[in-house]
Amino acid sequence: VQLQASGGGLVQAGGSLRLSCAATGRTFSSYGMAWFRQPPGKEREFVAHIMRSGASTYYADSVKGRFTISRDNAKNIVYLQMDSLKPDDTAVYYCAAREVGVTNYAYWGQGTQVTVSS
């Protein structure tokens, strides 16, 4: 599966952005999908995960209640709605996919920059 992330940009603190990740290749609904981010000078960190059907989602504590992950299996897209953004949310955001029964994410998008100004 190939992944293409988009939707990043510059936003003021308190604002919102929606990231999209379009998938091509093998059946999108076969993959668990996730968003990760890498703040400047820091290691990549988990943000959110959504199961294949979209029925279950998981979030890092730092974004819980502010970010929402969703997917449209008909359109092969996963979204990350980011509300109440903070300067600490500034990072390159990556979407990732993993196959059933596998714990690691083998497929990654190219990343999209999100910058939150104070």
Side-chain angles (χ1 to χ4, degrees):
V1 65
Q2 292 81 42
L3 304 174
Q4 179 77 33
S6 62
L10 174 64
V11 64
Q12 288 188 333
S16 298
L17 278 176
R18 188 177 78 159
L19 305 183
S20 299
C21 177
T24 59
R26 295 177 61 187
T27 307
F28 177 68
S29 59
S30 299
Y31 297 90
M33 299 297 298
W35 287 94
F36 288 76
R37 67 186 181 186
Q38 186 165 17
K42 298 183 180 180
E43 294 186 353
R44 187 171 60 195
E45 62 186 26
F46 168 80
V47 174
H49 176 89
I50 187 166
M51 302 293 279
R52 291 177 294 156
S53 67
S56 297
T57 56
Y58 306 90
Y59 297 92
D61 288 343
S62 59
V63 306
K64 201 171 293 183
R66 299 188 299 120
F67 291 11
T68 304
I69 188 170
S70 62
R71 67 190 295 163
D72 185 335
N73 285 344
K75 296 182 178 179
N76 289 5
I77 299 178
V78 61
Y79 302 100
L80 185 68
Q81 177 66 41
M82 305 186 294
D83 299 317
S84 302
L85 283 161
K86 306 175 181 179
D88 285 349
D89 295 318
T90 295
V92 178
Y93 284 71
Y94 299 89
C95 58
R98 71 182 188 191
E99 296 176 282
V100 175
V102 176
T103 57
N104 65 303
Y105 295 88
Y107 307 96
W108 293 83
Q110 85 289 2
T112 185
Q113 176 70 47
V114 172
T115 302
V116 184
S117 63
S118 56

